[in-house]
């Protein structure tokens, strides 16, 4: 959530910044609600002041009336009327504040100044590449055909039978390779990169999703449980991990966490895209990095977190490129995002495998997550960051395609062989 004070005092510049994301801020609506809020707050404060003043003098007025033999009922009625007026004024303020909060919840984060203009992924800016795509001496197959040819391998037909489209079954050594990738990623982040490993719930409540920005705007992208308590399956570990410090003042920063979870997404609006294989599924797994930092640490933390994701691909010897997302392609809650895209031989292109974002204090305001500023001693909103380190299913896809052999087998990357019992290939 954006700082309401910033909107009150800099609304035109905020509107201009949001236009880079393709979002048109309704300045008139905000100004009208803000004006109504001010008036309602003044009325509420005035009504409460009148009630308090009368309450202080009530005893003296009652004593005077009794001494004079006068009726005290009118004095009591006056007190009740002032109490009722104060309550009504307070309720009017609450109602307008709720309207204002609802509007604020729909406004995206403003992009960082370094974010380039643009409307979609075609306008993203490539920053660097690593590794040269492999030149095959045979016609490279896509991961669906590679996986199907392996013993056990990938079974999409049974995934459809069990659950429906956009589900898969992994068997045998392919299932073990998937597990090996998870263990490798967690070991790298915890042992070498200083992250603390977490195990979190895969079901979250509505407040958690509001805090990270998935709700209310993106409810159609979620799987909601048929339960009166408004439970949802997590779309990413970002949600439960970032909510660790909801409504808390964090004693020590930075805090760095890594977490492996399944992820569940309805993929609303993506029908017809990547329908073949494991690129876009309803259920997939990720290893997620999340950092909580002080504002002055955030820029460096984004570079560090992105580098941690890149290093995994380098250890796996998978070619990739890193791009800076343009305004129109930057997500709702993010201020700045780097996408890391891995090379897929079957598509002869790079596809996203990690998205690393800095959110400023946007999520922290929604969460009520703060730290104590050493300079002032007062609570202030911390900054949040997260990134995939990595998307496990897409990494499996990249390994199957980049390491396929002419005889249909798949070589196992050197760093994964210890996790595969020393095996060097899947036959």
């Amino acid at each position: 959530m954006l700082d309401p004070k910033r909107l009150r005092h800099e609304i035109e510049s905020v509107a201009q910044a949001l236009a880079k994301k393709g979002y048109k801020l309704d300045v008139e609506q905000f100004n009208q609600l803000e004006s109504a809020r001010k008036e309602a707050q003044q009325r509420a404060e005035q009504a409460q002041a009148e009630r308090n003043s009368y309450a202080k003098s009530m005893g003296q007025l009652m004593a005077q009336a009794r001494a004079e033999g006068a009726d005290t009922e009118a004095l009591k009625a006056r007190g009740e009327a002032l109490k009722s007026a104060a309550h009504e004024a307070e309720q009017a303020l609450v109602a307008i504040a709720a309207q204002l909060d609802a509007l604020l919840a729909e406004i995206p984060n403003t992009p960082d100044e370094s974010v380039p203009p643009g409307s979609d992924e075609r306008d993203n800016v490539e920053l660097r590449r690593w590794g040269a795509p492999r030149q095959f001496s045979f016609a490279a197959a896509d991961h669906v055909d590679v996986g199907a040819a392996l013993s056990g391998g990938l079974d999409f037909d049974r995934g459809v039978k069990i659950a429906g489209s956009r589900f898969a079954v992994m068997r045998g050594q392919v299932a073990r390779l998937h597990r090996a990738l998870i263990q490798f990623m967690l070991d790298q982040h915890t042992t070498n990169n200083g992250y603390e490993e977490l195990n979190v719930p895969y079901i979250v409540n509505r407040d958690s999703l509001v805090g990270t920005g998935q709700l209310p705007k993106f409810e159609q992208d979620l799987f909601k449980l048929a339960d009166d308590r408004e439970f949802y399956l997590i779309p990413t570990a970002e949600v439960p991990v970032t909510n660790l410090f909801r409504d808390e003042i964090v004693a020590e920063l930075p805090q760095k966490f890594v977490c492996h979870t399944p992820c569940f997404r309805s993929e609303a609006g993506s029908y017809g895209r990547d329908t073949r294989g494991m690129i876009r599924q309803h259920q997939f797994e990720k290893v997620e990095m999340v950092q909580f930092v002080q504002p002055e640490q955030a820029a460096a933390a984004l570079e560090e977190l992105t580098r941690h994701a890149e290093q995994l691909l380098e250890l796996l010897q998978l070619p990739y490129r890193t791009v800076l997302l343009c305004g129109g392609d930057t997500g709702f809650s993010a201020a700045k995002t780097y996408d890391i895209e891995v090379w897929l031989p079957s598509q002869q292109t790079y596809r996203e495998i990690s998205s690393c974002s800095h959110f400023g204090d946007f999520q922290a305001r929604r969460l009520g997550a703060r730290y104590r500023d050493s300079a002032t001693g007062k609570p202030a909103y911390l900054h949040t960051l997260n990134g995939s380190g990595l998307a496990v299913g897409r990494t499996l896809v990249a390994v199957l395609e980049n390491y396929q052999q002419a005889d249909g087998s798949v070589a196992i990357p050197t760093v994964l062989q210890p996790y595969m019992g020393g095996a060097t290939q899947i036959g």
Side-chain angles (χ1 to χ4, degrees):
M1 184 176 293
L2 295 179
D3 184 354
K5 292 181 181 178
R6 183 183 172 200
L7 282 166
R8 290 169 197 153
H9 302 297
E10 306 172 20
I11 191 157
E12 294 299 336
S13 63
V14 171
Q16 186 176 0
L18 288 171
K20 187 186 281 189
K21 279 192 171 183
Y23 181 85
K24 182 175 175 55
L25 178 62
D26 193 333
V27 175
E28 183 178 355
Q29 182 186 17
F30 176 82
N31 286 337
Q32 287 176 348
L33 283 172
E34 178 59 21
S35 178
R37 183 199 63 80
K38 287 180 180 179
E39 292 178 7
Q41 184 171 343
Q42 289 173 354
R43 287 196 298 270
E45 291 173 351
Q46 183 177 353
Q48 188 62 43
E50 290 178 0
R51 179 192 176 191
N52 293 342
S53 177
Y54 189 77
K56 289 180 180 179
S57 62
M58 184 74 167
Q60 183 178 351
L61 292 173
M62 292 286 284
Q64 183 178 347
R66 291 191 187 99
E68 295 174 354
D71 185 10
T72 60
E73 291 304 312
L75 294 174
K76 293 179 183 179
R78 172 65 175 163
E80 288 299 317
L82 289 173
K83 179 181 178 181
S84 178
H87 177 72
E88 290 178 5
E90 182 63 30
Q91 289 303 109
L93 175 59
V94 168
I96 292 172
Q99 293 181 54
L100 196 54
D101 286 343
L103 175 62
L104 289 171
E106 294 283 346
I107 300 174
N109 197 2
T110 52
D112 186 81
E113 291 182 358
S114 63
V115 172
S119 57
D120 55 37
E121 60 186 15
R122 293 170 297 184
D123 298 315
N124 295 339
V125 178
E126 182 177 315
L127 301 177
R128 53 189 173 268
R129 292 190 182 197
W130 184 92
R134 175 184 167 192
Q135 300 300 311
F136 291 86
S137 60
F138 55 93
D142 74 0
H143 69 282
V144 177
D145 293 333
V146 173
L150 297 172
S151 178
L154 289 174
D155 191 335
F156 292 96
D157 291 339
R158 286 190 172 92
V160 171
K161 179 176 70 173
I162 294 168
S165 62
R166 298 185 188 269
F167 290 92
V169 172
M170 288 175 276
R171 301 178 62 178
Q173 288 294 82
V174 172
R176 184 171 184 176
L177 180 60
H178 185 267
R179 174 163 54 91
L181 285 165
I182 295 166
Q183 191 65 54
F184 159 69
M185 294 173 190
L186 289 173
D187 285 350
Q188 287 296 315
H189 290 313
T190 55
T191 304
N192 299 328
N193 298 334
Y195 290 83
E196 178 183 345
E197 185 175 351
L198 293 179
N199 188 291
V200 295
Y202 303 159
I203 296 173
V204 292
N205 55 33
R206 186 177 185 86
D207 287 345
S208 294
L209 288 156
V210 169
T212 47
Q214 279 80 10
L215 289 179
K217 192 173 180 63
F218 303 104
E219 186 154 7
Q220 65 173 352
D221 296 328
L222 304 171
F223 282 112
K224 184 178 181 181
L225 276 62
D227 191 289
D228 293 338
R229 291 169 290 184
E230 289 201 288
F231 283 158
Y232 298 80
L233 298 177
I234 61 169
T236 166
E238 168 198 350
V239 178
V241 177
T242 308
N243 273 271
L244 277 179
F245 297 130
R246 171 154 47 100
D247 298 323
E248 292 186 24
I249 298 177
V250 183
E252 185 178 342
L253 292 175
Q255 298 261 7
K256 298 163 59 175
F257 298 101
V258 63
C259 185
H260 159 248
T261 66
C263 306
F264 306 91
R265 297 184 186 177
S266 71
E267 294 296 346
S270 69
Y271 295 103
R273 295 177 60 196
D274 298 311
T275 55
R276 178 175 167 84
M278 295 181 64
I279 295 294
R280 195 178 299 275
Q281 296 206 299
H282 291 308
Q283 175 184 311
F284 59 96
E285 299 186 36
K286 277 204 303 177
V287 172
E288 189 81 2
M289 303 173 288
V290 176
Q291 293 197 24
F292 301 87
V293 302
Q294 295 181 19
E296 62 272 18
Q297 299 169 332
L302 177 60
E303 303 302 321
E304 176 193 67
L305 183 143
T306 303
R307 185 67 193 130
H308 290 159
E310 292 174 337
Q311 287 170 344
L312 295 178
L313 293 172
E314 292 172 14
L315 289 168
L316 290 166
Q317 293 289 298
L318 293 172
Y320 70 85
R321 70 172 191 163
T322 302
V323 299
L324 171 60
L325 299 197
C326 69
D329 204 29
T330 302
F332 177 84
S333 299
K336 183 176 183 179
T337 298
Y338 295 124
D339 269 6
I340 304 170
E341 301 174 349
V342 69
W343 176 258
L344 294 185
S346 68
Q347 299 182 18
Q348 288 292 293
T349 192
Y350 293 93
R351 296 299 303 269
E352 179 198 335
I353 198 168
S354 174
S355 189
C356 302
S357 298
H358 168 219
F359 301 91
D361 63 7
F362 187 84
Q363 290 181 326
R365 286 183 180 278
R366 299 168 77 105
L367 294 163
R370 298 175 293 170
Y371 73 104
R372 198 167 296 280
D373 190 308
S374 59
T376 65
K378 297 179 179 179
Y381 289 107
L382 52 76
H383 281 203
T384 59
L385 305 97
N386 70 52
S388 312
L390 300 161
V392 184
R394 292 194 178 191
T395 309
L396 178 67
V397 168
V399 169
L400 292 177
E401 293 201 6
N402 284 277
Y403 280 86
Q404 62 181 291
Q405 307 300 307
D407 62 359
S409 64
V410 174
I412 298 172
T414 303
V415 292
L416 297 182
Q417 291 174 12
Y419 300 98
M420 297 291 291
T424 58
Q425 69 174 27
I426 300 174

